[in-house]
Amino acid sequence: MTSGAADHDHAEHNHNHGHEHSEQGHGGHEHNHGANARQLTLALLLTGGFLIVEVAYAFISGSLALLSDAGHMLTDAAALGLSLLALRVGARPADARRTFGYRRAEVLAAAVNAGALFAVGIYVLVEAARRFAQPVEVQATPMLIVAVLGLTVNLISARILAGGQGESLNMRSAYLEVLGDLLGSVAVILGALLIRFTGWTWVDPLLGAGIGLWVLPRTWALLRASVNVLLEGVPRGLDLDALRAELRTLPGVDDVHDLHVWSVTGGVNNLTAHLVAPTAGDTLLREVEEVAARFGIAHSTVQIEGPDAHAGGGAALHP
């Protein structure tokens, strides 16, 4: 990522530095962090407590749909634990080695969770195809009992996580894990009832495959979003050309180049840019802040350059 420091020797030129931090914003972040940690902890306790029962009965009943649901429950427990760990690590303040802090740990957790769930979905599809060719006897009663209990646990966990899933990729990955498992429990209940009253054992691999097909595209979307943050891509929904155009319309700005926008973590966007402006001052700085805020950018570092900037002049302004 380039910045003003990359293009000019800051030891030889004068610079104006202005930083504005919203205490309310920091307070809101801390409040959300604490709430998210509590939500993840409760969901982890519920999921982990039920995991042993479901895994055991998945093998006892011989149900692929229940095994698929147990697989999701297993990844749920691991994902929730990883998300909680990432949340704790992400709360650590910035230091000399991690100047942006550790918030990107949450994005790493989301990427790992999404990758694991994607692998489970692929496995279920492969196993479903095998069972269509070689049907397996399924015990409907234990399958039904465990699925109902699993549905109850998943409903509670999903309700707990629903409030925070729009705030970060990490929370959204945890919520998707539980939501996918909730759908799996519903499918297993339907399958158990059909098998019990009709004897159609082919319903089991069909439902297992259906769960996998529902989870895969949503997991893929989450994985893409996580990777985009890790690669410092332009945040989703942000029009870089429109941002550049608005910056160029600011009074006194002749040109905009080296414009970069990226996310440290979900919803925390940053901007760096060089503005060619023969006359620069605090007014321009405030106008840049206002434009950045309209595009959802929390922090911007702008280098103001005169006509002869590349010959050795310039000032770095940090809103």
Side-chain angles (χ1 to χ4, degrees):
M1 186 64 59
T2 63
S3 66
D7 295 316
H8 303 284
D9 186 348
H10 284 226
E12 297 180 3
H13 304 294
N14 294 325
H15 307 282
N16 296 321
H17 299 277
H19 295 273
E20 294 186 5
H21 300 281
S22 169
E23 295 300 327
Q24 181 178 358
H26 285 293
H29 177 74
E30 292 300 325
H31 172 75
N32 290 339
H33 173 272
N36 290 345
R38 288 191 296 272
Q39 291 167 343
L40 286 171
T41 301
L42 287 173
L44 178 59
L45 290 174
L46 284 170
T47 303
F50 186 73
L51 173 61
I52 298 175
V53 175
E54 185 161 30
V55 170
Y57 272 91
F59 287 100
I60 292 172
S61 66
S63 167
L64 177 62
L66 190 56
L67 181 61
S68 170
D69 195 47
H72 289 154
M73 187 70 82
L74 180 61
T75 57
D76 284 352
L80 290 169
L82 185 59
S83 295
L84 185 59
L85 176 63
L87 201 62
R88 299 294 189 190
V89 172
R92 295 172 60 182
D95 55 35
R97 291 182 59 83
R98 301 288 185 271
T99 57
F100 278 110
Y102 293 79
R103 288 175 293 181
R104 190 159 282 186
E106 295 184 38
V107 183
L108 285 169
V112 171
N113 290 345
L117 189 54
F118 194 81
V120 170
I122 293 295
Y123 166 77
V124 169
L125 289 178
V126 172
E127 182 65 12
R130 188 185 70 81
R131 290 203 178 190
F132 274 122
Q134 300 176 345
V136 175
E137 182 180 355
V138 177
Q139 298 180 31
T141 300
M143 176 181 171
L144 179 61
I145 294 172
V146 175
V148 170
L149 293 175
L151 177 62
T152 303
V153 170
N154 288 321
L155 282 170
I156 297 172
S157 296
R159 181 67 184 87
I160 290 171
L161 296 175
Q165 62 96 17
E167 298 169 5
S168 74
L169 289 173
N170 185 38
M171 289 297 293
R172 187 169 15 136
S173 71
Y175 178 72
L176 272 180
E177 291 271 3
V178 173
L179 195 63
D181 203 35
L182 188 154
L183 180 68
S185 295
V186 173
V188 172
I189 291 172
L190 294 175
L193 290 173
L194 283 172
I195 292 171
R196 181 177 178 83
F197 292 107
T198 67
W200 297 343
T201 56
W202 54 265
V203 169
D204 181 60
L206 180 64
L207 289 172
I211 297 169
L213 290 174
W214 185 89
V215 169
L216 285 177
R218 289 159 179 78
T219 304
W220 178 249
L222 176 62
L223 187 58
R224 286 180 59 188
S226 303
V227 170
N228 185 60
V229 173
L230 295 176
L231 293 179
E232 298 187 340
V234 175
R236 181 180 178 184
L238 191 149
D239 188 334
L240 195 64
D241 291 333
L243 173 60
R244 189 191 309 275
E246 283 211 30
L247 291 174
R248 280 177 174 163
T249 62
L250 294 178
V253 175
D254 293 339
D255 194 17
V256 177
H257 62 92
D258 288 332
L259 175 62
H260 303 277
V261 181
W262 75 101
S263 297
V264 175
T265 186
V268 182
N269 301 332
N270 294 270
L271 173 151
T272 62
H274 292 194
L275 304 185
V276 179
T279 57
D282 290 341
T283 300
L284 178 57
L285 180 60
R286 287 193 296 271
E287 291 172 340
V288 170
E289 287 181 317
E290 292 172 359
V291 171
R294 287 199 297 273
F295 282 81
I297 297 169
H299 180 82
S300 54
T301 301
V302 180
Q303 177 161 308
I304 306 297
E305 302 175 348
D308 59 346
H310 292 286
L317 304 180
H318 303 269

